[in-house]
């Protein structure tokens, strides 16, 4: 197990040589795990030891050091230790996801995008093993002109493979 205070960045790579839509995905019969969703609160306030999903840019962190201020950038600003991922993680490939664990949240916020603002100091759980972990999975951008393209067989296969890379594997320690 990692030493207390250690931040973990793990690139998860899925071998896609046998994950084509016509056979691999059509044969899958395993049940999905339970998922809880609520229309209240925010991802980062979901509680201890939860898996948070970063709807990421292929370049982890997106515009956090530039002009971005939406879901991924906000998550990285609340826990600035995550910005280190930009130094140690290359552009994600279609069969990759990135796991991050052990980071601390330092601040709260108000608003979103142009209305985003500092919302005061945040007191995170002092025990790193009870903090959440974050899986970064980037989606392909289809723009507003042709959004239906995302539902093509190859496009769906890419997204299924990316999710599998992120959600399957060794459970993070802690």
């Amino acid at each position: 197990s990692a030493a207390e205070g250690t931040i973990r960045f793990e690139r998860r790579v899925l071998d896609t040589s046998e994950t084509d839509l016509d056979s691999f995905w059509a044969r899958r019969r395993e049940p999905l795990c339970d998922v809880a969703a609520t229309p209240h609160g925010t991802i980062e306030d979901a509680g201890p030891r939860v898996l948070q999903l970063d709807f990421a840019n292929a370049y982890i962190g997106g515009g956090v050091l530039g002009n971005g201020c939406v879901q991924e950038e906000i998550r990285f600003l609340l826990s600035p230790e995550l910005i280190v991922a930009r130094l140690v993680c290359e552009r994600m490939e279609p069969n990759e996801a990135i796991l991050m664990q052990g980071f601390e949240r330092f601040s709260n916020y108000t608003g979103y995008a142009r209305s985003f603002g500092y919302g005061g100091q945040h007191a995170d759980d002092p025990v790193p093993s009870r903090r959440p972990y974050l899986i970064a999975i980037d989606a392909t951008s289809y723009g507003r002109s042709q959004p239906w393209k995302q539902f093509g067989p190859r496009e769906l296969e890419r997204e299924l493979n990316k999710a599998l890379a992120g959600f399957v594997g060794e459970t993070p320690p802690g």
Side-chain angles (χ1 to χ4, degrees), residues 53-86:
L53 182 59
D54 172 9
F55 295 102
N57 186 296
Y59 293 96
I60 191 77
V64 69
L65 296 177
N67 60 359
C69 203
V70 291
Q71 190 259 352
E72 180 173 33
E73 291 86 0
I74 290 172
R75 189 66 197 90
F76 276 54
L77 290 171
L78 300 180
S79 301
E81 297 161 317
L82 293 172
I83 296 172
V84 171
R86 295 183 58 85

Side-chain angles (χ1 to χ4, degrees), residues 142-153 155-156:
Y142 295 95
R144 294 183 180 182
S145 64
Q146 298 180 322
W148 61 86
K149 282 189 172 185
Q150 66 188 308
F151 300 110
E155 291 77 8
L156 288 174

